[in-house]
Amino acid sequence: MITHDQLLQAIPHCLDKTNFPWLGERIEGKVRDIYRHDGQRVLITTDRISAFDRVLGLIPHKGQVLNQLSAWWFEQTADLARNHLIALPDPNVIIAHEAEPLPIEIVVRGYITGVTKTSLWYLYEQGERQPYGVPLPDGLQKNDPLPQPIITPTTKAEKGGHDRPVTPDEILRQGLVSVDLWEEIKETAVSLFQRGQEIASQSGLVLVDTKYEMGLVEGQLTLIDEIHTPDSSRYWLADSVRPGQEPENFDKEFLRKWYAAQGYRGDGPPPTMPDDFVAMVAARYISTYERLTGESFIPGEQPILERIEKNLTQRSKESKE
Ligand SMILES: Nc1ncnc2c1ncn2[C@@H]1O[C@H](COP(=O)(O)OP(=O)(O)OP(=O)(O)O)[C@@H](O)[C@H]1O
Ligand SMILES: [Mg+2]
């Protein structure tokens, strides 16, 4: 088990950014550095953490945890959906098929919760009984399970913008995807989510909701980006879910709550996280990984940047041979 002191010592060695022009065209996401070349996408997951649509700082081992957890989930769901994974040449790197991304993101929710204005609980509490066009019964309490998982798609925001909820009607009317593809997307998303919930519950966690990104690779629907990570999903500790109580979060909500307690809600310069808190956030990411996979987390060799460069150079040499 990694101790709090070891996490504190790892803070100065976080992976902040990469710059490998020889890998192809570089695109910087909030969390990942991406290189595109020849129908492939090299996704390097850094230790950057984002919330409120901005980067807030660095969390030791977060990049490796997210990258390995995502790869693990791709394997656990490979029988349900095609995914973009080609190879894992380094603990922080996935090589993926470049997809033609769909213009929508698929959010699937198993519980009625949340605090933001787009959250199901907020809308329901305001009296809305058909949030996102889905009819809901009266009498639901915050954090109750939904009768069945529901899909609440959003349009994909341009860089710097916000995602916007969109109804299935609008998706079809605007021709964002075809009717047949929309059916396939819904079925795929629900089956992935159900598998996610089953596996999470075997680990003492609840997969509350999640976001999928999908695209087309050679015309076939393919899962891209990341899957069931604490960045793209809400996880609760199963034991902590009791009526009238706030469950313990094993996702980014933990971070959002700390910022809210400092009076920060996403406007202006964010407060800096103290090292002790950073180490606690790291411990949660690692614990989620260990609970789900049942394996201990083993940090990759340091310095991370040099290791990645070595592993990717090695790979590109091999592929030329
Ligand atoms: N196989 C793929 N083909 C095409 N685009 C992809 C593929 N996999 C991921 N992407 C895109 O790569 C980007 C991943 O970057 P990242 O998640 O760091 O950025 P972000 O989405 O801006 O940040 P955040 O996740 O914090 O909101 C996303 O825009 C995602 O849609
Ligand atoms: Mg993303």
Side-chain angles (χ1 to χ4, degrees):
M1 250 235 343
I2 303 185
T3 63
H4 186 76
D5 277 349
Q6 285 171 322
L7 291 172
L8 287 175
Q9 281 159 19
I11 293 175
H13 306 289
C14 281
L15 179 66
D16 180 11
K17 69 185 277 175
T18 69
N19 191 9
F20 302 138
W22 47 275
L23 273 178
E25 178 201 352
R26 181 177 184 282
I27 306 162
E28 193 176 295
K30 287 189 285 289
V31 174
R32 273 160 288 185
D33 286 353
I34 297 146
Y35 298 87
R36 285 169 61 171
H37 177 70
D38 217 8
Q40 294 190 350
R41 201 167 252 247
V42 180
L43 294 153
I44 305 183
T45 311
T46 69
D47 292 325
R48 302 193 290 263
I49 192 164
S50 74
F52 311 106
D53 277 329
R54 66 180 70 203
V55 176
L56 296 168
L58 299 172
I59 305 294
H61 307 304
K62 174 177 179 278
Q64 185 184 338
V65 164
L66 286 192
N67 191 64
Q68 291 184 332
L69 191 56
S70 209
W72 183 83
W73 274 115
F74 280 134
E75 279 168 27
Q76 304 302 311
T77 55
D79 58 318
L80 300 176
R82 276 169 213 275
N83 65 58
H84 70 170
L85 177 65
I86 299 173
L88 255 172
D90 178 277
N92 286 65
V93 184
I94 277 179
I95 314 270
H97 293 287
E98 174 75 26
E100 189 191 312
L102 299 181
I104 47 173
E105 298 190 339
I106 316 298
V107 179
V108 186
R109 307 172 194 247
Y111 289 74
I112 185 159
T113 187
V115 287
T116 63
K117 292 195 170 143
T118 53
S119 74
L120 272 191
W121 176 246
Y122 179 87
L123 297 169
Y124 188 86
E125 214 187 5
Q126 303 289 306
E128 175 66 73
R129 286 296 174 270
Q130 287 224 16
Y132 299 93
V134 182
L136 290 180
D138 281 327
L140 291 177
Q141 304 289 315
K142 188 174 184 211
N143 303 334
D144 273 352
L146 292 163
Q148 65 217 33
I150 70 170
I151 298 182
T152 58
T154 62
T155 57
K156 217 171 146 165
E158 294 296 312
K159 207 171 171 152
H162 293 280
D163 296 345
R164 189 178 60 76
V166 59
T167 63
D169 264 3
E170 285 174 304
I171 292 179
L172 297 178
R173 231 178 322 116
Q174 293 175 20
L176 297 178
V177 300
S178 71
V179 177
D180 287 352
L181 189 56
W182 174 240
E183 286 305 315
E184 193 184 348
I185 292 169
K186 282 196 296 191
E187 269 173 39
T188 308
V190 169
S191 70
L192 288 170
F193 187 69
Q194 282 169 340
R195 173 73 54 84
Q197 286 199 314
E198 272 163 39
I199 293 179
S201 77
Q202 289 158 15
S203 316
L205 293 174
V206 177
L207 177 61
V208 179
D209 45 41
T210 197
K211 180 198 76 178
Y212 301 112
E213 290 190 34
M214 298 181 193
L216 296 176
V217 175
E218 291 170 353
Q220 305 272 6
L221 186 67
T222 306
L223 188 58
I224 63 170
D225 206 48
E226 60 187 331
I227 164 171
H228 299 167
T229 71
D231 274 13
S232 68
S233 320
R234 237 192 218 107
Y235 281 104
W236 290 336
L237 195 62
D239 281 349
S240 71
V241 182
R242 286 187 206 94
Q245 269 186 34
E246 274 309 297
E248 198 176 333
N249 301 98
F250 268 67
D251 55 62
K252 282 205 304 201
E253 198 67 15
F254 183 65
L255 184 87
R256 292 191 197 98
K257 281 188 174 156
W258 181 84
Y259 276 92
Q262 318 299 309
Y264 185 73
R265 289 207 160 59
D267 303 311
T272 308
M273 295 178 272
D275 283 0
D276 270 323
F277 180 71
V278 168
M280 277 163 65
V281 175
R284 293 226 160 195
Y285 274 94
I286 292 171
S287 156
T288 309
Y289 172 90
E290 293 188 333
R291 278 168 196 276
L292 287 167
T293 65
E295 285 160 30
S296 354
F297 175 75
I298 299 163
E301 241 172 80
Q302 286 179 351
I304 305 175
L305 191 64
E306 272 98 291
R307 186 199 70 216
I308 294 177
E309 184 159 16
K310 197 178 93 201
N311 283 333
L312 289 176
T313 319
Q314 181 77 24
R315 189 178 184 275
S316 73
K317 265 200 213 134
E318 281 166 12
S319 68
K320 282 190 190 115
E321 277 167 17

